[in-house]
Amino acid sequence: MEANEILILAMFGSFIVLLFVGIPVAWVLGGVGVAFAFIGYYSDIYLDTWTGLDFTTLGLVVNRLYKIMDNWILVALPMFIFMGNMLDKSGVADRLMHAMQALFGRVHGGLAITVMAIGIILAASTGIIGASVVLLATMSLPAMMKQGYNLPLALGTVASAGTLGILLPPSIMLVIMADQLGLSVGDLFMGAMFPGLMLGAIYIVYLLIMGVVKSDSLPLPEDAKGVDWAVIKDVAKAIVPTFMLIIVVLGSIFAGIATPTEASGVGAFGAILLAVYYKRFSLAVLKEVLLDSYKTTAYIFAIFIGATCFALVLRELGGDEFIESAFEALPFGPYGIVAFILLVIFLLGFFLDWIEITLIVLPLLAPVVLGLDLSIGDYPGLDNPELVWFVMLVAMALQTSFLTPPVGFALFYLKGVCPPEVKLMDIYKGVIPFIILQLLALVVLVFWPNLILWLPSIAYG
């Protein structure tokens, strides 16, 4: 094994070990990159190797950071984050919960279905996972426990509903993926619509089936009433303003009227107007939303900086070629290699956050997929349909990373707002069926790529 290959494996090993020690991921990525730049440089001097690394390698990081900060697409990140945080403060979810609970009142599992439906709406309007999970848990979990719901099922419902925002547009994950791979954000947003809605529909069908098969786990409330026009009117009043914002933001992108960056600004302003409309807006709220958005954006961009240094050193060592040759040597066909890559990403999701996987792993694996002879159909006008399809498969696989222990963020967000009697093991048991449903949705997308590619392709028709 050559010196470069040893250093590549050592970089990945060091990254994983230091991450488990508890050091913040941005420091781990940047620190490992700097350390191995020096290791490669001095090994060339004293060990008579040729890694190609020297001090100019780290100098290139500065140029790349300037390009990141000058990237117009990434301006959408803080805007969408602000939009999600402001909608969280506007009381939209609270109004939806009270209105829609009456709509499903006489259905076994109606409260769980309400939570899932609100999760879909929040996903298409906020995309902030932590806020959605905490909000849904705070509003619905006490009611489900009081109503006699099976505790693990109730916990799994809240956790899975709150994580839909990472897949449904305007997902900040899709914005980062598009930037890293040079794809159109609009294509990924359109490609994610059907998969995201399909996953939400699968969840709801599962809850309906559980309501029939195990009705005692999803009991009816004692004061359940039928649906009348007053209930429908209340639901419409709660949903229409939020839907209007979703249509304006996503519709302007899909119709080509606005770029994702421009639409994100419109969405942020629209969220402020909704907060004013619901009488929840104040300078104190604006200050809190700005600070929360600043913290989240700073966290993401700190990882951007560390990942840029890590990826640059890895590429200088020949990491791209090393990984590509390793996958091409696998004794599988093209679809077998794709399945193996998705398995690797699924397993990485147990230990790594989606940001690290998106910034480090995805750019290394995309060239492998482009080199495969995949027959997914003809989509005229759509650039790199194979890559768009693959990215959405990765996005669906990363959906599981929020629910898989030991580091699934949704699990810890949920545990933080649960009553003391709720154990972490109850949450683990509750999310297992939903992880299986996510994998089922992933298999569907593998065999029916049209679910991903049809909508972005007709935009060019």
Side-chain angles (χ1 to χ4, degrees), residues 342 345-346 349 392-401 438-439 442:
L342 294 175
I345 290 173
F346 171 70
M392 292 313 308
L393 295 182
V394 171
M396 183 66 78
L398 288 178
Q399 182 82 19
T400 64
S401 68
Q438 288 173 345
L439 295 177
L442 178 60

Side-chain angles (χ1 to χ4, degrees), residues 21 46 57 104 188 210 231 274 285 432:
V21 171
Y46 296 108
T57 301
F104 299 102
L188 292 189
M210 290 297 293
V231 170
L274 276 183
V285 168
I432 289 175

Side-chain angles (χ1 to χ4, degrees), residues 86-87 104 145 163 175 211 214 248 268 278 295 325 350 399 412 455:
M86 182 57 76
L87 283 175
F104 299 102
M145 294 175 68
T163 59
V175 175
K214 293 187 176 181
V248 168
Y278 289 131
K295 291 175 183 177
S325 61
F350 280 79
Q399 182 82 19
F412 295 104
L455 187 57

Side-chain angles (χ1 to χ4, degrees), residues 139-153:
M139 291 191 307
S140 65
L141 195 57
M144 285 194 280
M145 294 175 68
K146 182 180 179 181
Q147 200 167 307
Y149 269 60
N150 175 272
L151 183 57
L153 181 56

Side-chain angles (χ1 to χ4, degrees), residues 109-254:
L111 183 52
I113 294 170
T114 298
V115 171
M116 196 60 67
I118 294 174
I120 295 172
I121 296 172
L122 289 179
S125 55
T126 66
I128 308 299
I129 300 304
S132 296
V133 172
V134 171
L135 195 61
L136 291 174
T138 304
M139 291 191 307
S140 65
L141 195 57
M144 285 194 280
M145 294 175 68
K146 182 180 179 181
Q147 200 167 307
Y149 269 60
N150 175 272
L151 183 57
L153 181 56
L155 294 167
T157 299
V158 171
S160 57
T163 59
L164 285 169
I166 203 63
L167 183 60
L168 275 167
S171 162
I172 59 175
M173 180 176 74
L174 297 180
V175 175
I176 295 175
M177 285 179 165
D179 173 69
Q180 291 295 298
L181 300 181
L183 295 171
S184 164
V185 178
D187 286 350
L188 292 189
F189 277 8
M190 286 186 280
M193 284 300 297
F194 287 150
L197 294 175
M198 178 189 71
L199 183 60
I202 289 174
Y203 287 161
I204 291 175
V205 169
Y206 168 73
L207 292 173
L208 287 170
I209 293 173
M210 290 297 293
V212 174
V213 176
K214 293 187 176 181
S215 57
D216 55 335
S217 298
L218 300 161
L220 289 173
E222 295 179 359
D223 57 346
K225 299 178 181 179
V227 179
D228 54 23
W229 282 110
V231 170
I232 296 175
K233 185 178 178 181
D234 289 340
V235 172
K237 285 183 178 179
I239 290 179
V240 168
T242 309
F243 258 60
M244 289 298 294
L245 179 61
I246 295 171
I247 291 171
V248 168
V249 174
L250 297 183
S252 62
I253 296 173
F254 295 169

